[in-house]
Amino acid sequence: MAKAVGIDLGTTNSVIAIMEGGEPTVLVNSEGNRTTPSVVAFKDGSRLVGQVAKRQAVLNAQGTLFEVKRYMGRTWEEVREEAERSPYDVVRGDDGGVRFVVGDDKYTPEQISAMVLQKLVEDASKTLGEKITKAVITVPAYFNNSQREATQNAGKIAGLEVLRIVNEPTAASLAYGLDKKGNETVLVFDLGGGTFDVSILEVGDGVFEVRSTSGDTHLGGSDFDYAVVNWLAEDFKKEYNVDLRKDKQALQRLIEAAEKAKIELSGLPETTISLPFIAMDPASNAPLYLEKKLTRSKFEELIGKLLNRIRGPVEAALRDAKLSKSDIDEVILVGGSTRVPAVKKIVTEMLGKEPNQTVNPDEVVALGAAIQAGVLTGDVDDIVLLDVTPLSLGVETKGAVFTKLIERNTTVPVRKTETFTTAEHNQTGVEVHVLQGERSMASNNKSLGRFKLEGFPAMPAGVPQIEITYDIDANGILHVTAKEKSTGKEASITIQNTTTLSDDEVERMVKDAQSHAEEDRKAREYAEAKNNLDSMRLQAKNIVDEASGATDEQKQPLLKVIDEAESAINSNAPKERLEEIGKELGEKLSAFQQATAAAASAEAAEAEQTEAAVSEDEEVIDADFKPAS
Ligand code: AMP
């Protein structure tokens, strides 16, 4: 099989690597660098990618696209805030997605990412003297379906066969653990340019198992840069009454100067930011200069709030893996922003140990992706890679209850099938509502999609057997299939990019589930009480209808409770009342059955008749189906 590369398609920088002589190796680009800025520029009709694009950004702020990874697979509404502070034009596409406008042209985030991938692959092909067509591409662990699909599509646009989408922290530990023999619990702390990811993995004997993942897709080094930019701009505004952030060119220069200062402060206690001719004085029309000293402690104060946001995901990852900090054997740092001393300090303090610094934080993800590519093309043996789902997945069942099929933190790929049935008589179809989240009631979770399975014959409630299968593939993409067993009728959905799930949402949903646990339990119990009474009512009604030999006098007490049950259900009577009626219904039903026992054989014959009498024309399509007992 042809060789395949591993690509870390980063927010700020990208890296490409390959297995060479059994070792993962970074491939240099045509400028001789090991990392390539994920920047694309359009200038005078030509396209620039990488360092050359980054270098001309100041003079071409509106034509230089960077950090496009933040927009991959997202809807316009989700990224509006980021879009509005961007020096280049980001607009809403007709499909509700994101478009970058440069001159008369519009580009999708996938197209721009594809240009970065193309540059990486073309340069690497030259270095290797062999055309590269296959790749493994990494994404943050918290990327949802649509973000993963967008990444896969970027690969396709670039003419690549994407063998697999792999989580960045998993790739990192793959690179780290390759030579390890014993079993270790590893925490991968990945703070890059735009995203933050924490993963806890079990590593050893060639098996990498992700125990938990957490993160924040809105936290990274560029937020540190913006904190410095805002500080500089506010000060400048106070002094000269000019807001530098409103001038796209000045803003771009500020961003670059802020990043440079930040990087210098990783090694030095202070630095000076100096930007000559940054603006014109509106009063005197004279050029204005910006010159400012920034100390490391001032910088740490400016990013204080951002640093605090590191804590939550680390704690969540430990909690989800049911581990305490003393269980962690190694802490691996990934991403350029882990070079900030204050970040290292927080990690050390939170986990009670110094992070392992033997791996290069900029390259480790691409190296791991290359190993995974090697596994898939047969160059590397003895490694099994196991990832997990960040949130539970399930289906809406009767009473708007969320029924989970796959629990969060389940290892993928995973396939799970459960059998459901109808809750109403004569249903000739069901609607499958696919949801993701941790809450008990459907409406509190994230809706991923709906589809209908229709056209099976009308049957009494509880008879149809509807098999629902959730299948998450190795790329984390979900396929849901529903099948009615008697007819073999099938319908399915692949969750497309109509809805997306940001890390904030994931965090919120997990927290929500914890804080609403009691309320959810009550709602669920109420829905169950109602469902139980409804099933009993239907069952009792069937029995009365079928008991042709019973007298009105025998039927009356039971029919009365059946009516009471119906009105209690329709009027949402309190749970205690529903249970009380249920109890009474049970009593009246058994009394009725005893009284009519003699007519038992006649009833059996009637039962068949009832089934045959079910109307074939009646179409009842709703979410009223429930787990088959
Ligand atoms: P990555 O996405 O992993 O390439 O990380 C890029 C981010 O790391 C950018 O925000 C860089 O400014 C930041 N970065 C790179 N080197 C350093 C450094 N020495 N100190 C602080 N931040 C850095």
Side-chain angles (χ1 to χ4, degrees), residues 11-13 192-193 221-222 225 259 262-263 266 335-337 339-340 362:
T11 310
T12 339
N13 294 300
S222 59
D225 302 342
E259 185 186 13
K262 170 190 75 176
I263 290 174
S266 290
S337 300
R339 291 202 165 97
V340 172
D362 300 326

Side-chain angles (χ1 to χ4, degrees), residues 400-432:
V401 168
F402 176 52
T403 302
K404 288 180 187 172
L405 269 91
I406 297 175
E407 292 284 336
R408 72 188 298 243
N409 282 328
T410 300
T411 306
V412 295
V414 60
R415 193 184 157 90
K416 195 92 187 279
T417 300
E418 267 184 40
T419 305
F420 295 82
T421 188
T422 50
E424 302 283 335
H425 285 324
N426 305 341
Q427 262 181 257
T428 55
V430 290
E431 186 180 64
V432 180

Side-chain angles (χ1 to χ4, degrees), residues 449-470:
R450 297 168 185 264
F451 66 99
K452 284 177 178 170
L453 173 65
E454 299 175 69
F456 48 86
M459 289 179 252
V463 174
Q465 298 272 293
I466 300 154
E467 249 180 29
I468 303 210
T469 303
Y470 275 46

Side-chain angles (χ1 to χ4, degrees), residues 8 10-15 35 54 67 69 190-195 220-225 259-260 262-267 299 334-341 361-362:
D8 170 9
T11 310
T12 339
N13 294 300
S14 294
V15 182
T35 60
K54 188 174 177 182
E67 287 184 17
K69 186 169 172 177
D190 180 355
L191 188 62
T195 52
S222 59
D223 296 299
F224 298 169
D225 302 342
E259 185 186 13
K260 187 164 164 277
K262 170 190 75 176
I263 290 174
E264 282 169 2
L265 289 174
S266 290
F299 172 63
V334 180
S337 300
T338 57
R339 291 202 165 97
V340 172
D362 300 326

Side-chain angles (χ1 to χ4, degrees), residues 95 99 107 131 145 150 180 209 267 298 363 379 388 428 439 451 456 476 527 590 592 601 613 629:
D95 57 358
R99 295 291 182 281
Y107 301 93
K131 190 168 162 50
N145 249 345
K180 293 280 172 289
E209 184 172 4
K298 179 67 190 173
E363 297 179 355
D379 284 351
V388 294
T428 55
R439 300 283 300 271
F451 66 99
F456 48 86
S590 66
F592 176 79
S601 57
S629 47

Side-chain angles (χ1 to χ4, degrees), residues 549-569:
T551 62
D552 278 356
E553 202 179 317
Q554 284 169 325
K555 286 182 185 174
Q556 218 41 52
L558 185 54
L559 286 173
K560 185 169 164 271
V561 194
I562 290 174
D563 281 350
E564 271 175 30
E566 190 168 2
S567 61
I569 290 165

